[in-house]
Amino acid sequence: PVVTLFTKDDCSLCEVVKEVLRAAQPAHKHTLEEVDITAAGNEEWFQRYKYDIPVLRLGGKFWVKHRLSAEEAVEGLQEAAAGAFQGRPGDPNAEGYPNRKPKA
């Protein structure tokens, strides 16, 4: 399965998530694709995820935000490998957050 990590520079939680996925890799094969939400062409992802990275999608479906435990990684990757992964609730969308103002 393909895991998409939405990230940006200086994201320490993103490094933790990548380590969890690396640890799961030998037993639970997957491909990790990273998307820098601040890169040109990724404005839509920036608008959605600017307050919530890291965000992970698995097979194109929302998986988790902020943190990923080893147990969650194994569970999700096993479900995806079996073709049974269902997107999780809680896909963030900063465009819909009321009264949030960008940092100056």
Side-chain angles (χ1 to χ4, degrees), residues 9-20:
D9 285 342
D10 298 319
C11 174
S12 59
L13 289 176
C14 298
E15 295 304 316
V16 173
V17 165
K18 286 193 280 187
E19 184 54 39
V20 169

Side-chain angles (χ1 to χ4, degrees), residues 36-54:
D36 181 341
I37 65 169
T38 64
N42 291 336
E43 292 80 9
E44 177 184 349
W45 295 120
F46 178 79
Q47 290 305 316
R48 287 185 65 92
Y49 296 151
K50 60 188 167 187
Y51 303 124
D52 287 301
I53 61 164

Side-chain angles (χ1 to χ4, degrees), residues 18-92:
K18 286 193 280 187
E19 184 54 39
V20 169
L21 289 168
R22 273 192 290 273
Q25 179 67 17
H28 305 284
K29 300 291 184 201
H30 61 276
T31 301
L32 178 62
E33 295 180 352
E34 294 185 47
V35 175
D36 181 341
I37 65 169
T38 64
N42 291 336
E43 292 80 9
E44 177 184 349
W45 295 120
F46 178 79
Q47 290 305 316
R48 287 185 65 92
Y49 296 151
K50 60 188 167 187
Y51 303 124
D52 287 301
I53 61 164
V55 172
L56 290 170
R57 296 179 77 82
L58 183 54
K61 299 173 186 170
F62 175 71
W63 187 10
V64 69
K65 65 182 181 181
H66 304 161
R67 290 175 174 77
L68 178 70
S69 70
E71 294 79 17
E72 289 170 317
V74 168
E75 178 182 301
L77 293 169
Q78 285 177 335
E79 289 175 13
F85 180 78
Q86 298 292 316
R88 307 299 198 246
D91 191 358

